[in-house]
Structures are given as structure tokens and as C-alpha cells.
Amino acid sequence: MSATAESAAAWELAVTGHSQAPLTRVSLPATGRWCLVWNHSVQGFPVIDCFRVDGEQLILDSSQTPDFAAGLGYTAGRGTLESDDQHGYRIVDMNVPISQNTLRLRVGSESVNHRIRVDSHTVSLSQLAANEPVEIRLIPAGEKGIELK
């Protein structure tokens, strides 16, 4: 595929649950940017991890949190740590490739409210699969093989 064709490719996120049961698909904009947002299970504040598509690779681009509590934090050499405008922290330019374009996640309860945010559109994973493992896979738009009910 040429570089021009790759940059013009349309992408979706296919979310599957237990036994690869399809839960939802989320269309991505031309930029391929989207975020996984959740409320920290201990402190309750929002955490935002943002991703982008680079060629055909899903990349963790940035992470934002108001506090480095209970397992959150910065790893030296993995992006640049900055202060955000809300007295929290943002790690940018992380450039972490996601193996097999698949993010594996144990979805939290509805109070944690794991959700996919694309621009102003939000899909709550916690409403679909609270306390269950899911896979979020980057796939070409319109790919067959996952049928939603």
C-alpha cells in the first residue's frame, strides 16, 4: 500500500468481549485519533490515554492525569512529562506502538466508567461489559468478520 493510500485509510475500533463476542464498533476520524477515558478506581479523578494511527500501527500518544496515584506515573524515556493547565500532568510524544493493534483491558465498574471518546462521541465500555475483559482492535473500516447484533 502506498504512503498516500495508508494515510487515507479509514479505521474503526472493534470491541469484543468474552469469547470474542462483538460488543461495538467505533469509527475513527481521518486523523485516527481517539482516547480511552476512565475514572481512577481509588481517587476518582479522570485519566485520559490518547491514541493515534500512524500508517497501519496503533500508537499510544499521550496520557493525562491530575495525580500520579495508585500505579499511575511517568517512566523515564517514555515521552515528555509536562504540567497541564489544570494542575495535573500530561505525558506527550509517548510513541508507544500497541502490539498487534490490540488493546486488552479489564473494564471497570460503572463508577470507573471506561469509555472510548472520539471527538465529541463517547461509548461507555462499562455499560457494555463492566468487570469483564475486552479487546479493542484497530481494523480497516468495513472489515468483515465481526458481525454486531
Coordinates of all heavy atoms in Angstrom, one line a residue, residues 16-86:
T16 N -14.5 -6.4 21.3 CA -15.0 -7.7 21.6 C -14.9 -8.0 23.0 O -14.0 -7.6 23.7 CB -14.3 -8.7 20.7 OG1 -12.9 -8.7 20.9 CG2 -14.6 -8.5 19.2
G17 N -15.8 -8.8 23.5 CA -15.8 -9.3 24.9 C -15.5 -10.7 25.0 O -14.7 -11.3 24.2
H18 N -16.1 -11.4 26.0 CA -15.8 -12.8 26.3 C -16.0 -13.6 25.0 O -17.0 -13.4 24.3 CB -16.8 -13.2 27.4 CG -16.6 -14.6 27.8 ND1 -15.5 -15.0 28.5 CD2 -17.4 -15.7 27.7 CE1 -15.6 -16.3 28.7 NE2 -16.7 -16.8 28.2
S19 N -15.1 -14.5 24.8 CA -15.1 -15.4 23.7 C -15.2 -14.7 22.3 O -15.8 -15.1 21.4 CB -16.3 -16.4 23.8 OG -16.2 -17.2 24.9
Q20 N -14.6 -13.5 22.3 CA -14.6 -12.7 21.1 C -16.0 -12.2 20.6 O -16.2 -11.9 19.5 CB -13.8 -13.4 20.0 CG -12.4 -13.6 20.3 CD -11.6 -12.3 20.5 OE1 -11.7 -11.4 19.7 NE2 -10.9 -12.2 21.6
A21 N -17.0 -12.2 21.5 CA -18.3 -11.8 21.2 C -18.2 -10.3 20.9 O -17.7 -9.5 21.6 CB -19.3 -12.0 22.4
P22 N -18.8 -9.9 19.7 CA -18.7 -8.5 19.3 C -19.6 -7.6 20.2 O -20.7 -8.0 20.5 CB -19.2 -8.4 17.9 CG -19.9 -9.7 17.7 CD -19.4 -10.7 18.7
L23 N -19.0 -6.5 20.7 CA -19.8 -5.5 21.5 C -20.1 -4.3 20.8 O -21.3 -3.8 20.9 CB -19.0 -5.2 22.8 CG -18.6 -6.4 23.7 CD1 -17.7 -5.9 24.8 CD2 -19.9 -6.9 24.3
T24 N -19.2 -3.7 20.1 CA -19.4 -2.4 19.3 C -18.3 -2.2 18.4 O -17.2 -2.8 18.5 CB -19.6 -1.2 20.3 OG1 -20.1 -0.1 19.6 CG2 -18.3 -0.9 21.0
R25 N -18.6 -1.3 17.4 CA -17.5 -0.8 16.5 C -17.6 0.8 16.6 O -18.7 1.3 16.8 CB -17.8 -1.2 15.1 CG -17.3 -2.5 14.8 CD -17.3 -2.7 13.3 NE -16.9 -4.1 13.0 CZ -16.6 -4.5 11.8 NH1 -16.6 -3.6 10.8 NH2 -16.2 -5.7 11.6
V26 N -16.5 1.4 16.6 CA -16.4 2.8 16.7 C -15.6 3.3 15.5 O -14.4 2.9 15.3 CB -15.8 3.3 18.0 CG1 -15.7 4.8 18.1 CG2 -16.5 2.7 19.2
S27 N -16.2 4.2 14.7 CA -15.5 4.7 13.5 C -14.5 5.8 14.0 O -14.9 6.6 14.9 CB -16.5 5.4 12.5 OG -17.3 4.3 12.0
L28 N -13.3 5.8 13.4 CA -12.3 6.9 13.7 C -12.3 8.0 12.7 O -12.6 7.7 11.5 CB -11.0 6.2 13.8 CG -10.8 5.2 15.0 CD1 -9.3 4.7 15.0 CD2 -11.1 5.8 16.3
P29 N -12.0 9.2 13.1 CA -11.9 10.3 12.1 C -10.7 10.0 11.2 O -9.8 9.2 11.5 CB -11.7 11.5 12.9 CG -11.1 11.0 14.2 CD -11.7 9.6 14.4
A30 N -10.5 10.8 10.2 CA -9.4 10.7 9.3 C -8.0 10.8 10.0 O -7.0 10.2 9.6 CB -9.5 11.8 8.2
T31 N -8.0 11.5 11.1 CA -6.8 11.7 11.9 C -6.4 10.4 12.6 O -5.2 10.2 13.0 CB -6.9 12.8 13.0 OG1 -7.9 12.4 13.9 CG2 -7.2 14.1 12.4
G32 N -7.4 9.5 12.8 CA -7.1 8.2 13.5 C -6.9 8.4 15.0 O -6.5 7.6 15.7
R33 N -7.3 9.6 15.5 CA -7.1 9.9 17.0 C -8.4 9.5 17.8 O -9.5 9.8 17.4 CB -6.8 11.4 17.1 CG -5.5 11.7 16.6 CD -5.0 13.1 16.9 NE -3.7 13.5 16.4 CZ -2.6 13.1 16.9 NH1 -2.6 12.4 18.1 NH2 -1.4 13.4 16.4
W34 N -8.1 9.0 19.0 CA -9.2 8.6 19.9 C -8.6 8.5 21.3 O -7.4 8.4 21.4 CB -9.9 7.3 19.5 CG -9.0 6.1 19.5 CD1 -8.1 5.7 18.6 CD2 -8.9 5.1 20.6 NE1 -7.5 4.5 19.0 CE2 -8.0 4.2 20.2 CE3 -9.6 5.0 21.8 CZ2 -7.7 3.0 21.0 CZ3 -9.3 3.9 22.6 CH2 -8.3 2.9 22.2
C35 N -9.4 8.5 22.3 CA -8.9 8.4 23.7 C -9.7 7.4 24.5 O -10.9 7.2 24.2 CB -9.1 9.8 24.4 SG -8.1 11.1 23.7
L36 N -9.0 6.8 25.4 CA -9.6 5.9 26.4 C -9.7 6.7 27.7 O -8.6 7.2 28.2 CB -8.8 4.6 26.6 CG -9.4 3.6 27.6 CD1 -10.7 3.1 27.2 CD2 -8.4 2.5 27.8
V37 N -10.9 6.9 28.3 CA -11.0 7.7 29.4 C -11.7 6.9 30.5 O -12.5 6.1 30.3 CB -12.0 8.9 29.1 CG1 -12.1 9.9 30.3 CG2 -11.5 9.7 27.9
W38 N -11.2 7.1 31.8 CA -11.8 6.4 32.9 C -11.6 7.2 34.2 O -10.8 8.1 34.2 CB -11.3 5.0 33.0 CG -9.9 4.8 33.6 CD1 -9.6 4.6 34.9 CD2 -8.7 4.9 32.9 NE1 -8.2 4.6 35.0 CE2 -7.6 4.7 33.8 CE3 -8.4 5.1 31.5 CZ2 -6.3 4.7 33.4 CZ3 -7.1 5.0 31.1 CH2 -6.1 4.9 32.0
N39 N -12.4 6.9 35.2 CA -12.3 7.5 36.5 C -11.4 6.6 37.3 O -11.7 5.4 37.5 CB -13.7 7.7 37.1 CG -14.6 8.5 36.3 OD1 -14.2 9.4 35.6 ND2 -15.9 8.1 36.2
H40 N -10.4 7.1 37.9 CA -9.4 6.3 38.7 C -10.2 5.6 39.8 O -11.0 6.2 40.5 CB -8.3 7.2 39.3 CG -7.2 6.5 39.8 ND1 -7.2 6.0 41.1 CD2 -6.0 6.1 39.3 CE1 -6.1 5.4 41.4 NE2 -5.3 5.4 40.3
S41 N -10.0 4.3 40.0 CA -10.7 3.5 40.9 C -10.5 3.9 42.4 O -11.4 3.6 43.2 CB -10.5 2.0 40.7 OG -9.1 1.7 40.9
V42 N -9.3 4.4 42.7 CA -9.1 4.8 44.1 C -9.4 6.3 44.3 O -10.1 6.6 45.3 CB -7.6 4.5 44.5 CG1 -7.3 5.0 45.9 CG2 -7.3 3.0 44.3
Q43 N -8.9 7.2 43.5 CA -9.0 8.6 43.7 C -10.2 9.2 43.0 O -10.7 10.3 43.4 CB -7.8 9.3 43.2 CG -6.5 8.9 43.9 CD -6.5 9.3 45.4 OE1 -7.1 10.3 45.8 NE2 -5.7 8.6 46.2
G44 N -10.8 8.5 42.0 CA -12.0 9.0 41.3 C -11.8 10.0 40.2 O -12.7 10.4 39.5
F45 N -10.5 10.5 40.1 CA -10.3 11.6 39.0 C -10.2 10.9 37.6 O -9.9 9.8 37.5 CB -9.1 12.4 39.3 CG -7.8 11.6 39.6 CD1 -7.2 10.8 38.6 CD2 -7.2 11.6 40.9 CE1 -6.1 10.1 38.9 CE2 -6.1 10.9 41.1 CZ -5.5 10.1 40.1
P46 N -10.5 11.7 36.6 CA -10.4 11.2 35.2 C -8.9 11.0 34.8 O -8.1 11.8 35.1 CB -11.1 12.2 34.4 CG -11.0 13.5 35.2 CD -10.9 13.1 36.6
V47 N -8.7 9.9 34.1 CA -7.4 9.6 33.4 C -7.7 9.5 31.9 O -8.8 8.9 31.6 CB -6.8 8.3 34.0 CG1 -5.5 8.0 33.3 CG2 -6.6 8.4 35.5
I48 N -6.9 10.0 31.1 CA -7.1 10.1 29.7 C -5.9 9.6 28.9 O -4.8 10.2 29.0 CB -7.5 11.5 29.2 CG1 -8.6 12.1 29.9 CG2 -7.8 11.5 27.7 CD1 -8.9 13.5 29.7
D49 N -6.0 8.4 28.3 CA -4.9 7.9 27.4 C -5.4 8.1 26.0 O -6.5 7.7 25.6 CB -4.6 6.5 27.7 CG -4.0 6.2 29.0 OD1 -3.2 7.1 29.4 OD2 -4.2 5.1 29.6
C50 N -4.6 8.8 25.2 CA -4.9 9.1 23.8 C -4.0 8.3 22.8 O -2.8 8.2 23.0 CB -4.9 10.6 23.5 SG -6.2 11.5 24.4
F51 N -4.6 7.9 21.7 CA -4.0 7.1 20.7 C -4.1 7.7 19.3 O -5.0 8.6 19.1 CB -4.7 5.7 20.7 CG -4.6 5.0 22.0 CD1 -5.5 5.2 23.0 CD2 -3.6 4.0 22.2 CE1 -5.5 4.6 24.2 CE2 -3.6 3.3 23.4 CZ -4.5 3.6 24.4
R52 N -3.3 7.3 18.4 CA -3.4 7.7 17.0 C -3.0 6.5 16.1 O -2.4 5.6 16.6 CB -2.5 8.9 16.8 CG -1.0 8.6 16.7 CD -0.1 9.8 16.4 NE 1.2 9.5 16.0 CZ 2.2 9.1 16.9 NH1 1.9 9.1 18.2 NH2 3.4 8.8 16.4
V53 N -3.4 6.6 14.9 CA -3.0 5.7 13.9 C -1.9 6.3 13.1 O -2.0 7.4 12.6 CB -4.2 5.2 13.0 CG1 -3.7 4.2 12.0 CG2 -5.3 4.7 13.8
D54 N -0.7 5.6 13.0 CA 0.4 6.0 12.2 C 0.7 5.0 11.2 O 1.1 3.9 11.5 CB 1.6 6.2 13.1 CG 2.8 6.9 12.4 OD1 2.7 7.1 11.2 OD2 3.8 7.1 13.1
G55 N 0.3 5.2 9.9 CA 0.4 4.2 8.9 C -0.7 3.2 9.2 O -1.9 3.5 9.1
E56 N -0.3 2.0 9.5 CA -1.3 1.0 9.9 C -1.1 0.5 11.4 O -1.5 -0.5 11.8 CB -1.1 -0.2 9.0 CG -1.5 0.1 7.6 CD -1.5 -1.1 6.6 OE1 -1.1 -2.2 7.1 OE2 -1.8 -0.9 5.4
Q57 N -0.4 1.3 12.1 CA 0.0 1.0 13.5 C -0.7 1.9 14.5 O -0.7 3.1 14.4 CB 1.5 1.2 13.7 CG 2.0 0.8 15.1 CD 1.8 -0.6 15.5 OE1 2.3 -1.5 14.8 NE2 1.1 -0.8 16.6
L58 N -1.3 1.2 15.5 CA -2.0 1.9 16.6 C -0.9 2.3 17.6 O 0.0 1.5 18.0 CB -3.0 1.0 17.3 CG -3.8 1.7 18.5 CD1 -4.6 2.9 18.0 CD2 -4.7 0.6 19.1
I59 N -0.8 3.6 18.0 CA 0.2 4.2 18.8 C -0.4 4.9 20.0 O -1.3 5.7 19.9 CB 1.0 5.3 18.0 CG1 1.6 4.7 16.7 CG2 2.1 6.0 18.9 CD1 2.8 3.8 16.9
L60 N 0.1 4.6 21.3 CA -0.2 5.4 22.4 C 0.6 6.7 22.3 O 1.8 6.7 22.3 CB 0.2 4.6 23.7 CG 0.0 5.4 25.0 CD1 -1.4 5.8 25.3 CD2 0.5 4.5 26.2
D61 N -0.2 7.8 22.3 CA 0.4 9.1 22.0 C 0.6 9.9 23.3 O 1.6 10.6 23.4 CB -0.5 9.8 21.0 CG 0.2 11.0 20.4 OD1 1.3 10.9 20.0 OD2 -0.5 12.1 20.4
S62 N -0.4 9.9 24.2 CA -0.3 10.7 25.4 C -1.1 10.2 26.5 O -2.0 9.4 26.3 CB -0.7 12.2 25.1 OG -2.1 12.2 24.7
S63 N -0.8 10.6 27.7 CA -1.6 10.3 28.9 C -1.7 11.5 29.8 O -0.8 12.3 29.9 CB -0.9 9.1 29.6 OG -1.6 8.7 30.7
Q64 N -2.9 11.7 30.3 CA -3.1 12.8 31.2 C -3.8 12.4 32.5 O -4.8 11.6 32.4 CB -4.0 13.9 30.5 CG -4.2 15.1 31.2 CD -4.8 16.2 30.4 OE1 -5.1 16.0 29.2 NE2 -5.0 17.4 31.0
T65 N -3.3 12.9 33.6 CA -3.9 12.6 34.9 C -3.6 13.8 35.9 O -2.6 14.5 35.7 CB -3.3 11.3 35.5 OG1 -3.9 11.1 36.8 CG2 -1.8 11.4 35.6
P66 N -4.6 14.1 36.8 CA -4.3 15.1 37.7 C -3.3 14.7 38.8 O -2.8 15.6 39.6 CB -5.7 15.5 38.3 CG -6.5 14.3 38.0 CD -5.9 13.6 36.8
D67 N -3.0 13.4 39.0 CA -2.2 13.0 40.1 C -1.5 11.7 39.7 O -2.1 10.9 39.0 CB -3.0 12.8 41.3 CG -2.3 12.6 42.6 OD1 -1.0 12.5 42.5 OD2 -2.9 12.5 43.6
F68 N -0.3 11.4 40.2 CA 0.3 10.1 40.0 C 0.0 9.2 41.2 O 0.8 8.9 42.0 CB 1.8 10.2 39.9 CG 2.2 10.8 38.6 CD1 3.4 11.5 38.5 CD2 1.5 10.7 37.4 CE1 3.9 12.1 37.3 CE2 1.9 11.3 36.2 CZ 3.1 11.9 36.1
A69 N -1.3 8.8 41.3 CA -1.7 8.0 42.4 C -1.9 6.5 41.9 O -2.2 6.2 40.8 CB -3.1 8.5 42.9
A70 N -1.7 5.6 42.9 CA -2.0 4.2 42.7 C -1.7 3.6 41.3 O -2.6 3.2 40.6 CB -3.5 3.9 43.1
G71 N -0.4 3.6 41.0 CA 0.0 2.9 39.8 C 0.2 3.8 38.6 O 0.7 3.4 37.5
L72 N -0.2 5.1 38.7 CA 0.0 6.0 37.5 C 1.3 6.7 37.7 O 1.8 6.9 38.8 CB -1.2 7.0 37.5 CG -2.5 6.5 37.3 CD1 -3.6 7.6 37.4 CD2 -2.7 5.8 35.9
G73 N 1.9 7.1 36.6 CA 3.2 7.8 36.7 C 3.9 7.9 35.4 O 3.5 7.4 34.4
Y74 N 5.1 8.4 35.5 CA 5.9 8.7 34.3 C 7.1 7.7 34.3 O 7.7 7.5 35.4 CB 6.5 10.1 34.3 CG 7.5 10.4 33.3 CD1 7.1 10.5 32.0 CD2 8.8 10.6 33.7 CE1 8.1 10.7 31.0 CE2 9.8 10.9 32.7 CZ 9.4 11.0 31.4 OH 10.4 11.2 30.4
T75 N 7.4 7.1 33.2 CA 8.6 6.2 33.0 C 9.6 7.0 32.2 O 9.3 7.4 31.1 CB 8.2 4.9 32.3 OG1 7.2 4.3 33.1 CG2 9.4 4.0 32.2
A76 N 10.8 7.2 32.8 CA 11.9 7.9 32.1 C 12.1 7.3 30.7 O 12.1 6.1 30.5 CB 13.1 7.9 32.9
G77 N 12.2 8.2 29.7 CA 12.4 7.8 28.3 C 11.2 7.4 27.5 O 11.2 7.1 26.4
R78 N 10.0 7.5 28.2 CA 8.8 7.2 27.5 C 7.9 8.4 27.4 O 7.0 8.7 28.2 CB 8.0 6.1 28.3 CG 6.8 5.5 27.6 CD 6.3 4.4 28.4 NE 5.0 4.0 28.0 CZ 4.2 3.1 28.5 NH1 4.7 2.4 29.5 NH2 3.0 2.8 28.0
G79 N 8.3 9.3 26.5 CA 7.6 10.5 26.3 C 8.2 11.7 27.1 O 9.2 11.5 27.7
T80 N 7.5 12.8 27.1 CA 7.9 14.0 27.8 C 6.8 14.4 28.8 O 5.7 14.5 28.5 CB 8.1 15.2 26.8 OG1 9.0 14.8 25.8 CG2 8.6 16.4 27.5
L81 N 7.3 14.6 30.0 CA 6.4 14.9 31.1 C 6.2 16.4 31.1 O 7.2 17.2 31.1 CB 6.9 14.5 32.5 CG 6.1 14.7 33.7 CD1 4.7 14.0 33.6 CD2 6.9 14.3 34.9
E82 N 4.9 16.9 31.2 CA 4.6 18.3 31.2 C 3.5 18.5 32.3 O 2.8 17.6 32.6 CB 4.0 18.8 29.9 CG 4.8 18.6 28.7 CD 4.1 19.0 27.4 OE1 2.8 19.1 27.4 OE2 4.8 19.2 26.4
S83 N 3.4 19.8 32.7 CA 2.2 20.1 33.5 C 1.1 20.5 32.6 O 1.3 21.0 31.5 CB 2.5 21.4 34.4 OG 3.5 21.0 35.4
D84 N -0.2 20.1 33.0 CA -1.3 20.5 32.1 C -1.8 21.8 32.7 O -1.4 22.4 33.7 CB -2.3 19.4 32.0 CG -3.1 19.1 33.3 OD1 -3.0 19.9 34.3 OD2 -3.8 18.1 33.4
D85 N -2.9 22.4 32.1 CA -3.4 23.7 32.5 C -4.4 23.5 33.7 O -5.1 24.4 34.1 CB -4.0 24.4 31.4 CG -5.2 23.7 30.7 OD1 -5.4 22.5 31.1 OD2 -5.8 24.3 29.8
Q86 N -4.5 22.3 34.2 CA -5.5 22.0 35.3 C -4.8 21.5 36.5 O -5.4 20.7 37.3 CB -6.6 21.0 34.8 CG -7.3 21.5 33.6 CD -8.2 20.5 33.0 OE1 -8.1 19.3 33.3 NE2 -9.0 20.9 32.0

